[in-house]
Amino acid sequence: MKCNIICGPAANLADGNLEQVRNNYCRKTKLLNATKFGIQVAWSSSWSPASLGYQLENNGLKGEAVPLNYLLGAWIAHQEDPDKWFEFRSETIREWVAIVTKGRGSNDSWPGPQWVKSYQVRWSNTGEEGDWYDVDKGKVFNANTDNNTPVRNNFENTVHARILRIAIKQCNIYCSMRVDALFRL
């Protein structure tokens, strides 16, 4: 697992000792994948038995992760759902830093390759109506341009929240995606 070093102000160190800077002013942070860390998920709708969301719901597994390395299929929102979303739900507040998406995992998907083109991200600590806030001032994130290349969108400001919701804006054919969220421990 890659470890990033984040440093605070160290300009007043006279000797410039990097190890002292690390020990006194820095903290190591590990970025973790929500789908590998047991974070629960939820979604607005599922399209068909081909949808991973549909499969999970009908096998009593709603809330399980949709991994990026899932080879066939994806979460597919119902075509008639006017408010398509996918969310990560943690029992505790997390420091969320990025979203990673891929399209539907099969090249021979009927009626053709499917992916999410753009989305916004919102957050909440309760999930109640009126308790949702925009990430990065409502920025619309560009997502995928094909169904197999992962696209990572980092937040300008990290988000401290229990729930992170991806609100789908545009899609190619159907709104289908494999998705993960990254957070700091």
Side-chain angles (χ1 to χ4, degrees):
M1 183 179 304
K2 183 178 178 183
C3 187
N4 298 319
I5 302 290
I6 297 178
C7 295
N12 294 333
L13 284 179
D15 64 358
N17 182 326
L18 183 58
E19 200 56 41
Q20 188 177 358
V21 171
R22 284 191 179 126
N23 292 336
N24 294 330
Y25 295 97
C26 298
R27 63 183 172 97
K28 290 185 177 181
T29 60
K30 294 182 179 180
L31 294 182
L32 301 175
N33 300 59
T35 57
K36 293 179 181 174
F37 203 76
I39 302 293
Q40 297 292 295
V41 296
W43 45 83
S44 59
S45 62
S46 292
W47 175 245
S48 72
S51 168
L52 180 61
Y54 184 94
Q55 292 171 28
L56 292 174
E57 280 181 40
N58 287 293
N59 288 300
L61 297 172
K62 184 164 184 171
E64 295 295 317
V66 180
L68 287 170
N69 62 358
Y70 189 72
L71 297 177
L72 298 173
W75 166 70
I76 308 168
H78 196 284
Q79 190 173 359
E80 295 174 12
D81 181 357
D83 185 28
K84 298 168 181 66
W85 54 263
F86 186 96
E87 68 187 23
F88 294 90
R89 297 178 150 259
S90 174
E91 291 182 13
T92 60
I93 292 176
R94 303 282 181 191
E95 183 182 1
W96 304 97
V97 300
I99 298 288
V100 184
T101 59
K102 288 172 86 172
R104 187 172 176 188
S106 174
N107 283 329
D108 60 351
S109 301
W110 181 88
Q114 304 159 29
W115 60 83
V116 171
K117 292 181 178 181
S118 64
Y119 59 85
Q120 288 178 297
V121 182
R122 306 198 78 209
W123 66 271
S124 175
N125 284 323
T126 66
E128 300 292 324
E129 181 110 12
D131 187 38
W132 287 94
Y133 306 92
D134 292 330
V135 171
D136 292 344
K137 301 176 185 172
K139 175 181 178 176
V140 175
F141 293 92
N142 292 321
N144 300 88
T145 57
D146 65 38
N147 62 326
N148 280 313
T149 305
V151 174
R152 177 176 168 167
N153 282 303
N154 296 319
F155 304 146
E156 291 174 22
N157 301 295
T158 59
V159 176
H160 296 267
R162 282 188 51 248
I163 305 168
L164 201 63
R165 178 178 284 184
I166 301 166
I168 310 302
K169 295 299 173 191
Q170 281 191 304
C171 301
N172 188 67
I173 303 177
Y174 293 126
C175 295
S176 303
M177 70 177 175
R178 293 169 283 174
V179 61
D180 209 339
L182 302 179
F183 66 93
R184 288 195 179 100
L185 192 55

